[in-house]
Amino acid sequence: LQAKAIHRDKNGEAIEVDNVIIQEMPGKVIDAVGRLDIQTTGSGKVWILSQGKKIEGTWKKSTRLARTKFFDSNGKAIVLPPGKVWFEIVLTGTQVNWAL
């Protein structure tokens, strides 16, 4: 659920994924439509929901073309199990709630 509604694809089927990655990134609203200018390099908080568990940690990305890497609270690289991944980007300081 997002905004208290089930996300559906163009055929009306509920979207189901195996892993959800919630990345907190700095940014700002740039126009009246609500479009965002998001800084996608650097580092920030991350929450990963996978296999009924929540992992809190950090994401890091050194350059625009680099791969984003995820680390748990002990600094160990997070390896996701195979499957579909949903990325949710939230602005730094946004309150995030979830239920497993």
Side-chain angles (χ1 to χ4, degrees):
L1 292 177
Q2 182 179 21
K4 299 181 181 178
I6 294 174
H7 274 17
R8 299 188 179 277
D9 65 17
K10 66 180 180 179
N11 298 317
E13 298 292 322
I15 296 173
E16 296 181 6
V17 298
D18 302 293
N19 306 291
V20 176
I21 298 175
I22 305 165
Q23 282 181 260
E24 189 178 75
M25 295 180 160
K28 62 184 177 182
V29 178
I30 58 172
D31 61 22
V33 179
R35 286 180 279 228
L36 302 172
D37 178 17
I38 299 172
Q39 182 179 330
T40 60
T41 57
S43 64
K45 292 181 184 178
V46 69
W47 298 272
I48 297 176
L49 310 176
S50 180
Q51 298 180 328
K53 298 177 185 174
K54 175 187 68 163
I55 303 168
E56 293 187 46
T58 305
W59 65 267
K60 295 181 182 178
K61 184 174 180 175
S62 58
T63 67
R64 185 178 65 83
L65 298 177
R67 173 175 268 180
T68 303
K69 297 180 181 179
F70 304 100
F71 302 91
D72 66 18
S73 58
N74 295 318
K76 183 178 176 186
I78 298 170
V79 178
L80 294 175
K84 296 177 185 175
V85 180
W86 180 279
F87 282 87
E88 189 67 33
I89 307 302
V90 299
L91 294 181
T92 301
T94 300
Q95 182 178 348
V96 178
N97 299 305
W98 53 76
L100 295 174

